[in-house]
Amino acid sequence: MTTDNLISNILDSYKEYGGINLSNALTFPNRQNVIDVLLEIMTLIFPGFRTVEQLDQDNLRYVTGSRVNRIICGLTGEIKKATLYLCLQRGLEQSACTQLAEKTSITLMEQIPEIRRKVTMDIQAALRGDPAAGSVEEIILSYPGIEAIAVYRIAHELHTNGVPIIPRIMSEYIHGKTGIDIHPGATIGESFFIDHGTGVVIGETTVIGNKVKLYQGVTLGALSVRKEQSCCKRHPTIEDNVTIYAGATILGGDTVIGHDSIIGGNTWVTESVPPRSIITIN
């Protein structure tokens, strides 16, 4: 088979099976562009920790301003694609969809100080909760749980503001990197700590209070539900000051873990437990 025939066969498959994202047609967001923007935002969250550039007090304003402008430009373009695609799929007015993009990008930048405040509290929770943590800087540089939580807080802000697709791209990127799967639709309070982290799953309608600590392999998931129940609360509620040990599985939208409880490792919980409970395997 000649090279021309090989190319023609591949192009024919594009026509037959779809799955092509052309820049001059009905386009979907570009995954790599979204990841590049996310990495820029993470550099705003952790300045001086994630890039080779040298920061000092003389250039900090200039570097920060340049980065903010790049983020707004890049994110606006990808949000336009995501919202326009959704509008066309649903038969909505395109003009209203595209107007959302720049406003949402600027809104996210306005929320960076608040996101940094929450991430700082998450880091302090890690410092208090892990005897192996030597410093804040060590946690920022090397703890996958903090990285996953920081990306969640960015993606959740976009999700809350109605941005489709892009928050999931961000959450799945960091899921692949850390093994921690946090849906951007979940609601998570302050001082949240995931220790070790690999295999943690937090579903879309999960609600987590303040000062909650999870270990590796924890699943906060749904009981078996039908597709038409996708808008219902399907995942558990975890109240304040709860610790959930490795391998525990907590399922169901009606399941509430009362405050100040301890859920032991490898437990299977599908019913609510009162505050100050200790749940272990018999």
Side-chain angles (χ1 to χ4, degrees), residues 78-233:
E78 297 308 310
I79 292 176
K80 280 183 180 179
K81 293 180 190 178
T83 53
L84 183 58
Y85 183 90
L86 193 65
C87 283
L88 291 173
Q89 291 291 96
R90 296 180 178 178
L92 303 176
E93 284 292 330
Q94 298 180 27
S95 58
C97 289
T98 55
Q99 289 172 2
L100 170 71
E102 185 173 5
K103 179 181 178 182
T104 305
S105 299
I106 293 172
T107 298
L108 178 63
M109 292 300 95
E110 292 172 345
Q111 288 300 311
I112 291 296
E114 175 61 11
I115 292 172
R116 293 196 75 245
R117 183 190 71 82
K118 290 180 179 178
V119 171
T120 298
M121 295 185 70
D122 299 327
I123 292 168
Q124 290 298 324
L127 190 62
R128 291 191 304 270
D130 184 3
S135 66
V136 165
E137 292 76 16
E138 177 186 353
I139 293 168
I140 292 172
L141 286 168
S142 62
Y143 275 48
I146 290 299
E147 190 168 13
I149 294 167
V151 170
Y152 154 77
R153 296 206 183 279
I154 295 164
H156 180 71
E157 187 67 30
L158 293 171
H159 179 89
T160 301
N161 281 286
V163 177
I165 304 158
I166 289 173
R168 288 303 303 274
I169 295 174
M170 292 178 171
S171 63
E172 291 306 325
Y173 163 75
I174 203 65
H175 176 201
K177 186 177 178 184
T178 65
I180 299 169
D181 184 1
I182 308 176
H183 194 288
T187 301
I188 300 177
E190 298 179 351
S191 299
F192 182 49
F193 178 35
I194 301 175
D195 201 355
H196 304 295
T198 304
V200 166
V201 177
I202 300 174
E204 178 182 14
T205 61
T206 303
V207 177
I208 298 175
N210 298 323
K211 298 181 180 179
V212 170
K213 181 178 183 179
L214 309 184
Y215 285 84
Q216 68 273 17
V218 167
T219 297
L220 305 179
L223 292 164
S224 180
V225 294
R226 296 186 297 274
K227 184 68 175 178
E228 55 267 28
Q229 294 176 291
S230 60
C231 294
C232 300
K233 189 178 187 306

Side-chain angles (χ1 to χ4, degrees), residues 44 63-73 109:
L44 281 184
V63 170
T64 303
S66 297
R67 177 157 286 116
V68 167
N69 286 330
R70 286 198 302 273
I71 291 168
I72 290 174
C73 181
M109 292 300 95

